[in-house]
Amino acid sequence: QLQLVESGGGLVQPGGSLRLSCAASGFTLDYYAIGWFRQAPGKEREGVSCISSSGSSTNYVDSVKGRFTISRDNAKNTVYLQMNSLKLEDTAVYYCAAASYCSGYPPEYDYWGQGTRVSVSS
């Protein structure tokens, strides 16, 4: 069965850090761009970051630039999202997804994980 599994979410204080992982099973991530999306209560799903299949190209939504870093380890079939200097507004369920190329448009992604919750609160 082809699936993506996110992990690493949790409760953190403002200014804290978390590292999310997105692990694939049943297929290799080598040929896929991987995007991280998030969805806060009452809001639409938002593209946060994406990394190309080779890892040579990354992009970020403006609100996380300088704070989040996406990376991938194809040998481990895993993509990471390092989140530093977390803010209250980063609270959301975070999803990873696989596509042929990076896009901020969710329907262009073929596979999705179940999500991991990130809560930033004092």
Side-chain angles (χ1 to χ4, degrees):
Q1 184 177 359
L2 309 180
Q3 60 178 349
L4 295 171
V5 179
E6 303 95 337
S7 61
L11 175 63
V12 64
Q13 292 185 338
S17 297
L18 286 173
R19 188 177 80 156
L20 305 184
S21 297
C22 172
S25 63
F27 69 109
T28 178
L29 290 180
D30 290 19
Y31 306 110
Y32 289 91
I34 302 298
W36 282 98
F37 291 79
R38 65 186 179 186
Q39 189 164 18
K43 295 188 176 181
E44 293 194 355
R45 194 164 294 191
E46 171 190 38
V48 175
S49 181
C50 189
I51 187 167
S52 63
S53 58
S54 67
S56 61
S57 177
T58 60
N59 56 58
Y60 302 90
V61 68
D62 285 348
S63 59
V64 308
K65 284 180 180 177
R67 300 189 298 121
F68 290 11
T69 303
I70 192 171
S71 62
R72 66 190 301 154
D73 185 341
N74 284 350
K76 294 183 178 180
N77 219 22
T78 302
V79 172
Y80 305 97
L81 185 67
Q82 178 68 44
M83 305 188 297
N84 299 329
S85 302
L86 283 161
K87 303 177 179 180
L88 298 176
E89 54 264 40
D90 294 320
T91 295
V93 177
Y94 284 71
Y95 301 88
C96 66
S100 298
Y101 52 88
C102 279
S103 169
Y105 189 48
E108 291 184 348
Y109 287 77
D110 301 312
Y111 305 107
W112 287 84
Q114 82 291 346
T116 186
R117 186 173 302 275
V118 172
S119 297
V120 184
S121 175
S122 55

